[in-house]
């Protein structure tokens, strides 16, 4: 994980680096630091988020070259010494790193044998010293970077300052994202476009094994074969990468409240002019498949459960859904003519990248990535990419991207079977989402108040409501740190019911006519053992005493229509407990380590 920024020749390097790192906090916030070149390399770093940088940096300084880092700890605990930037032993080279070096121990042993000393537990300190080692003999950064690239195994996005090159910021990339922002009289580098969006709208996505440097006026990129390449910048509009809170107190709340817009946008893009708008070759490949395998992690895995079930019901295609980190260790693709759908909001999730590598090595299987991030690492490796167009999601807990994933899978299913009713059903969910936003926030907040001091919460549902329960439970534990479990209603009696005790909050979703009466029986079972039950039901299935009642909708679209109930609940509980809603402990938005 981790986020990095760098700049050459920018007018306000201090602001760029601090503000930029704050925008990259979603990539980790265990520690943060900045390094810049004046007459020598200066480093300021400490544990905690980039918010502390204002206090530890001099209030003003002049520099042409600056690098910065916000960290999600992998090698070594979060501590000042393990924070980035890291300096080489002779203190003449400094770098920031996003990624994991798999052969760090081997390289450290080699460097120790050459007299190098290490002060931190990080793989990054190994990288900076290896670079120094190569540089001391070659006296040339280009040669040194080539040698370094040949030695490093694993993933890395590096931004590097060398005192001997006061005009150049060096970079090297494999596996982790790195982007250049092309300025006028300055150039920038960062893990994504957001820190740079205030200064430019032209961006170059670096490819794996790219290396080179940026100076005030030049961008020099060499590819894996050491050829100078001319990568054309792409223009991004500021709105699509904006991190503006737009008056909301938290990104999570803003992003929940954008769900209706996100669904409308998905419909307007993928069903423009009353016609489905998916690549015809993608649809052909999908129609020819005898099995569709879905892979995802966390929330995206939960979306894949919904998508898989929709494909089975509406398209009659058998599907299997896998958690990426599990599938990688038992990599069997079901079917004689399979198709694989990977779901990843960020497009950078290491577990999925690993799976894609296996799929590509072993089989000639068509792959589709459903992602919110154009140009992401995963999108470069798949056969097809379909974008969520959900707008940047900053809060670590995924909300609008989940609803967009489900909406998109429903649209894709509709396109496959040329089913226009799917669009009508999706459009109907927008009113449900809006009425939750307008009428149910207060009662949801009341439930949050009642459950916030409990140690355990249960969520129950069947079929699509079970899939939503999984997502609701993940969201609650992720940002409120309350232990919660989701079960299919029918599974309770097979063990978990032993955990039901007096006063335990049990939140039940009832939106599916075929499972409603079974769920009502389950409710009686937990109530009679003392549980405090909160029922979320659609109007036609509701009963007196239900906690939250929403208008009817096509029950397989719960993930779109009423996921906001689950998200608001987690949001209010976290808020009431005084936690940092957008930055839950131990997590990062983009999970770029396995
Ligand atoms: C939870 C959450 C995570 C992500 C998971 C996969 O709120 O956001 O569970 O869904 O880390 O991330 P992506 O979708 O970027 O592959």
């Amino acid at each position: 994980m981790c986020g990095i920024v760098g700049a050459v020749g920018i007018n306000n390097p201090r602001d760029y680096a601090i503000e930029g790192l704050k925008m990259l906090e979603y990539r980790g916030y265990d520690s943060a630091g900045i390094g810049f070149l004046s007459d020598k390399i200066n480093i300021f770093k400490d544990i905690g988020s980039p918010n502390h940088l204002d206090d530890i940096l001099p209030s003003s300084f002049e520099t042409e070259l600056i690098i910065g880092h916000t960290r999600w700890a992998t090698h070594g605990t979060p501590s000042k010494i393990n924070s980035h930037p890291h300096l080489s032993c002779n203190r003449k080279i400094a770098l920031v790193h996003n990624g994991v070096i798999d052969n760090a121990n081997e390289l450290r042993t080699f460097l120790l044998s050459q007299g190098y000393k290490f002060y931190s537990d990080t793989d990054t300190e190994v990288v900076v010293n290896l670079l120094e080692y190569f540089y001391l003999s070659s006296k040339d950064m280009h040669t040194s970077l080539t040698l370094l690239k040949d030695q490093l195994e694993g993933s890395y996005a590096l931004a590097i300052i060398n005192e001997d090159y006061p005009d150049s910021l060096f970079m090297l990339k494999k596996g982790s994202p790195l982007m250049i922002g092309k300025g006028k009289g300055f150039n920038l580098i960062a893990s994504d476009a957001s820190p740079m969006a205030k200064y430019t709208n032209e961006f170059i996505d670096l490819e794996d094994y790219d290396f080179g440097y940026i100076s005030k006026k030049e961008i020099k990129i060499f590819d894996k074969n050491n050829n100078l390449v001319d990568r054309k910048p792409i223009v991004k509009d500021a709105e699509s990468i904006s991190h503006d809170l737009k008056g909301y107190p938290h990104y999570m709340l803003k992003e929940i409240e954008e769900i209706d817009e996100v669904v409308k946008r998905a419909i307007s893009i993928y069903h423009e002019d009353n016609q489905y708008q998916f690549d015809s070759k993608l649809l052909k490949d999908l129609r020819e498949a005898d099995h569709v395998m879905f892979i995802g992690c966390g929330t995206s895995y939960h979306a894949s459960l919904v998508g898989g079930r929709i494909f089975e019901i509406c398209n009659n295609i058998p599907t299997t859904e896998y958690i990426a980190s599990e599938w990688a260790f038992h990599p069997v693709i079901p079917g004689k003519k399979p198709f694989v759908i990977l779901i990843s909001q960020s497009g950078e999730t290491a577990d999925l990248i690993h799976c894609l590598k296996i799929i590509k090595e072993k089989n000639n299987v068509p792959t589709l990535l459903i992602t919110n991030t154009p140009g992401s690492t995963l999108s470069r490796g798949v056969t097809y990419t379909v974008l969520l167009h959900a707008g940047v999601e900053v809060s670590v807990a995924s909300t609008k991207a989940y609803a967009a994933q489900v909406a998109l899978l429903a649209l894709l299913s509709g396109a496959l079977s040329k089913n226009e009713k799917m669009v009508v059903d999706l459009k109907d969910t927008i009113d449900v989402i809006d009425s939750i936003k307008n009428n149910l926030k207060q009662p949801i907040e009341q439930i949050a108040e009642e459950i916030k001091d409990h140690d355990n919460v249960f969520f129950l549902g069947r079929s699509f409501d079970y899939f939503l329960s999984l997502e609701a439970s993940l969201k609650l534990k992720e940002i409120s740190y309350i232990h919660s479990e989701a079960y299919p209603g029918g599974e309770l009696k097979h063990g978990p019911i032993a955990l039901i005790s007096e006063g335990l909050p049990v939140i039940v979703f009832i939106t599916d006519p075929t499972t409603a009466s079974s769920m009502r029986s389950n409710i009686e079972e937990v109530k009679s053992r003392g549980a405090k039950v909160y029922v979320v039901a659609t109007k036609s299935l509701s009963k007196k005493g239900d906690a939250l009642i929403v208008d009817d909708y096509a029950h397989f679209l719960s993930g779109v229509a009423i996921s906001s109930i689950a998200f608001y609940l987690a949001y209010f509980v976290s808020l009431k407990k005084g936690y940092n809603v957008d930055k839950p402990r131990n997590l990062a938005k983009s999970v770029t380590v396995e």
Side-chain angles (χ1 to χ4, degrees), residues 296-301 343-349 352 378 393 395-399 405 471 474-475 478 588-591:
C297 305
T299 291
S300 295
Y301 167 69
I343 307 186
S344 175
Q345 185 280 132
S346 63
E348 300 292 345
T349 300
L352 274 175
L378 278 166
E393 192 178 64
S395 187
V396 165
S398 186
T399 54
Q405 287 165 346
E471 178 55 13
L474 173 64
K475 216 85 325 172
E478 183 180 8
K589 182 82 184 155
S590 211
V591 185

Side-chain angles (χ1 to χ4, degrees), residues 406-417:
V406 176
L408 225 141
L409 287 162
L411 284 166
L412 187 56
S413 154
L416 276 176
S417 49

Side-chain angles (χ1 to χ4, degrees), residues 101-155:
I101 304 302
D102 296 335
N103 59 340
N105 285 343
E106 234 170 80
L107 296 172
R108 185 185 282 110
T109 307
F110 166 75
L111 288 166
L112 285 169
S113 75
Q114 301 299 308
Y116 276 84
K117 288 200 170 54
F118 291 91
Y119 303 94
S120 76
D121 307 318
T122 64
D123 49 352
T124 307
E125 202 185 4
V126 173
V127 178
V128 73
N129 281 316
L130 190 61
L131 181 59
E132 180 193 294
Y133 173 81
F134 290 135
Y135 182 70
L136 288 179
S137 54
S138 69
K139 297 279 183 276
D140 173 62
M141 272 302 271
H142 185 99
T143 312
S144 308
L145 287 173
T146 320
L147 294 167
L148 182 68
K149 190 159 60 99
D150 289 346
Q151 289 302 318
L152 297 183
E153 288 169 19
S155 56

